[in-house]
Amino acid sequence: MEQEPQRKYAVQSRTKNEIGRVDYMLRHADQNKAAKAVGDVGTLYKEYRRRWRETPATAIRNKIYGEKFKALQKGPLCVDIETAAICNLACPFCYRQFIATPDKLMDINLYMKLIDQCAEIDVPSIKLNWRGEPLMHPKLPEMVKYAKDKGILEVIINTNAVLLTEKLSKKLIDAGLDLMIYSFDGGTKESYEKMRIGRYGENTFEPVVKNIRDFARIRNEMGSPFPRTKIQMILVEENHNEIESFFNLFEDCVDDVSLKAYTERGGDISDLDKESRLKVLEYLADQNLPDDTPYWKDKNSDILVSQGRLACEQPYQRLMVTFDGSVSMCCYDWGNEHPVGFLDDRAIKNSLKEYEKAKEKSEAGDFGYDHIKNLSLPKRYIKPNEVVQTLKEIWHGKAINTVRKCHVNGAVNAVDICKQCQFKETYAWKKI
């Protein structure tokens, strides 16, 4: 049987990140606040992480979708819940700079309905953000606790840490948050403040570093192993020479320090210096490949060029839920341009209305839009049936299974939203 090319992952750490994550969770399983609801957290967590890579690999290798996949796995392994679509930063590399994004918070009742459905189908992990900053939701600690009380094994947030006060830190620890991933782009003050621009006021390097270091102190003082912390920097041209300083800045106060590949999103930011850019162009010309062939400069400064597409793992792992209950199949579908279902009728009624409001505010130069100009409205590549369904029904519905079928049969580009995707993990790479 022909083997699929080895997949290369966008997040790179000096340590074995996945092993470290699993070991940490298993070592402290007795302190996981889901234990009261589910019992043996360790065994369940170990099985969940085994399935994270094995399930999509098996499905892709054996071309499994539809009823066969339904028999294999009853629900997603992770659900990303957009508790806050709003963000307090205006990072120049973010999709928010190009695609209109609503400044909205998720209603707590919709959230609880969603968590109840996750618990019913044994979803092991949830992430309480997608396109925004979760610390902007005033009920975030309450949301974490509700999920843990319902038996969710792993509750995660990605945060920029700007709003991570001592009071909020204590609330999140008490609530039972399992994993907190900091996004911090820069190994120096200069590069950080260039990449992490405040949206409603100035954002500076020192206070955010202090928040992250203070959190480690508070967690230790409270005697809690949770949440495990991870910090990651997106590699671009400006910070490629700051890898050592980034690691040195956080290795003593964060459990895992990682780097993440930059994904082209339509701006003028690049991860290639002039010399590397010329090397890529020369290779493409020599191989008679198009100039827009995807490339990647990794943490070792190796330059890789795409040799073709791979089936994506995400449709076999996770779902994204927007603030109003629309469901997407991929974290790179920023505008929810390929929705696969609706969990609430608000998502059906709202449609593009909130996106249009964001575009209008940008054009009017409203407060918070100083750095967000020339926005486009999201496209709509498909139109699912306008009916409210459960999470389980959407996970095994026609819309997402059509995507799975295309991917496992080598027709990734037959799906419009996937054809233009720059997600590094969906390409076969060759070092040049």
Side-chain angles (χ1 to χ4, degrees):
M1 180 182 295
E2 184 179 350
Q3 290 188 334
E4 180 187 25
Q6 186 174 3
R7 197 179 298 271
K8 188 174 174 67
Y9 291 100
V11 177
Q12 299 176 306
S13 175
R14 282 180 171 170
T15 61
K16 294 183 178 179
N17 179 47
E18 175 64 13
I19 294 174
R21 174 178 175 179
V22 174
D23 285 350
Y24 193 94
M25 292 295 288
L26 296 182
R27 190 163 65 250
H28 303 292
D30 61 329
Q31 296 182 65
N32 187 307
K33 293 195 175 181
K36 289 182 181 179
V38 301
D40 188 356
V41 169
T43 298
L44 294 171
Y45 187 84
K46 191 174 182 179
E47 174 65 8
Y48 146 56
R49 293 313 298 176
R50 181 189 67 79
R51 290 163 57 203
W52 184 255
R53 297 296 181 205
E54 187 173 298
T55 295
T58 299
I60 292 166
R61 183 171 59 249
N62 298 310
K63 295 180 169 49
I64 296 172
Y65 55 89
E67 289 301 313
K68 288 185 178 179
F69 180 62
K70 189 174 183 180
L72 186 69
Q73 184 172 301
K74 65 180 179 180
L77 295 170
C78 184
V79 177
D80 294 45
I81 303 171
E82 190 175 62
T83 54
I86 188 172
C87 188
N88 55 339
L89 296 185
C91 304
F93 53 82
C94 182
Y95 277 119
R96 188 177 291 273
Q97 299 292 331
F98 315 109
I99 300 176
T101 310
D103 289 333
K104 302 293 287 185
L105 301 176
M106 178 174 278
D107 175 75
I108 189 67
N109 294 314
L110 172 58
Y111 171 80
M112 291 190 293
K113 181 177 81 169
L114 177 53
I115 293 298
D116 290 347
Q117 290 188 20
C118 287
E120 286 172 8
I121 56 175
D122 299 323
V123 172
S125 178
I126 60 168
K127 183 180 285 186
L128 299 185
N129 60 278
W130 178 17
R131 301 175 294 183
E133 171 50 53
L135 299 188
M136 296 190 76
H137 201 301
K139 295 185 177 180
L140 183 65
E142 181 182 332
M143 290 171 154
V144 173
K145 185 179 186 304
Y146 189 82
K148 296 307 294 183
D149 288 346
K150 287 290 182 175
I152 305 298
L153 302 180
E154 183 179 65
V155 180
I156 309 168
I157 63 168
N158 280 76
T159 177
N160 56 42
V162 173
L163 302 175
L164 192 60
T165 63
E166 182 158 342
K167 182 179 180 181
L168 181 54
S169 296
K170 290 178 178 178
K171 285 185 176 181
L172 290 172
I173 293 168
D174 278 334
L177 184 67
D178 298 291
L179 176 60
M180 182 154 63
I181 304 172
Y182 301 118
S183 297
F184 191 98
D185 297 307
T188 64
K189 175 181 174 66
E190 182 182 15
S191 61
Y192 172 81
E193 292 181 359
K194 182 178 180 180
M195 298 297 289
R196 290 276 163 174
I197 299 170
R199 186 176 170 198
Y200 302 108
E202 187 180 29
N203 178 48
T204 54
F205 176 81
E206 293 86 357
V208 183
V209 172
K210 184 177 185 299
N211 287 349
I212 293 169
R213 301 191 74 85
D214 282 350
F215 187 87
R217 171 184 57 78
I218 294 164
R219 190 186 72 173
N220 289 339
E221 289 174 353
M222 293 178 67
S224 174
F226 295 114
R228 183 174 189 258
T229 55
K230 175 179 178 178
I231 193 164
Q232 55 193 34
M233 174 174 76
I234 294 176
L235 283 178
V236 294
E237 181 181 354
E238 287 83 357
N239 63 24
H240 238 290
N241 63 346
E242 296 179 357
I243 291 175
E244 284 302 318
S245 57
F246 177 67
F247 276 89
N248 292 337
L249 192 59
F250 295 112
E251 277 186 319
D252 67 334
C253 63
V254 178
D255 296 312
D256 179 53
V257 184
S258 300
L259 306 166
K260 188 174 184 181
Y262 172 66
T263 300
E264 170 58 45
R265 292 167 181 179
D268 58 2
I269 292 176
S270 174
D271 55 349
L272 292 183
D273 54 88
K274 184 177 181 180
E275 182 179 344
S276 298
R277 197 172 295 116
L278 287 173
K279 185 176 180 180
V280 169
L281 290 174
E282 287 172 0
Y283 175 83
L284 296 179
D286 182 65
Q287 299 294 314
N288 198 28
L289 293 170
D291 287 349
D292 60 354
T293 300
Y295 62 83
W296 179 0
K297 185 177 180 181
D298 69 11
K299 70 180 180 68
N300 300 316
S301 293
D302 290 334
I303 299 175
L304 308 105
V305 172
S306 168
Q307 304 300 297
R309 298 301 298 276
L310 302 178
C312 186
E313 294 176 313
Q314 287 205 36
Y316 288 97
Q317 293 170 325
R318 61 203 292 209
L319 289 175
M320 320 288 133
V321 182
T322 64
F323 69 93
D324 59 359
S326 184
V327 181
S328 184
M329 61 178 180
C330 173
C331 65
Y332 273 74
D333 180 9
W334 184 272
N336 190 30
E337 296 179 328
H338 191 110
V340 294
F342 305 102
L343 288 165
D344 193 272
D345 60 3
R346 278 169 281 198
I348 299 171
K349 293 175 182 177
N350 285 341
S351 186
L352 282 174
K353 290 178 183 177
E354 295 297 338
Y355 297 84
E356 290 167 350
K357 288 179 183 178
K359 189 175 189 312
E360 290 168 3
K361 289 179 180 178
S362 174
E363 291 171 347
D366 285 6
F367 179 62
Y369 287 87
D370 293 346
H371 302 283
I372 303 176
K373 306 288 186 182
N374 302 317
L375 297 178
S376 298
L377 288 174
K379 300 174 184 176
R380 282 292 178 266
Y381 289 104
I382 67 166
K383 187 176 182 180
N385 291 333
E386 293 187 341
V387 58
V388 174
Q389 295 179 295
T390 65
L391 193 68
K392 184 177 180 180
E393 288 171 334
I394 294 169
W395 180 243
H396 292 295
K398 180 180 178 181
I400 194 169
N401 266 309
T402 298
V403 174
R404 291 177 183 137
K405 180 180 180 181
C406 289
H407 274 248
V408 301
N409 285 296
V412 175
N413 290 341
V415 183
D416 286 336
I417 190 69
C418 300
K419 183 178 182 178
Q420 60 184 343
C421 181
Q422 295 292 315
F423 188 36
K424 296 289 192 288
E425 297 171 13
T426 66
Y427 288 84
W429 298 102
K430 180 181 179 180
K431 179 180 173 181
I432 64 171

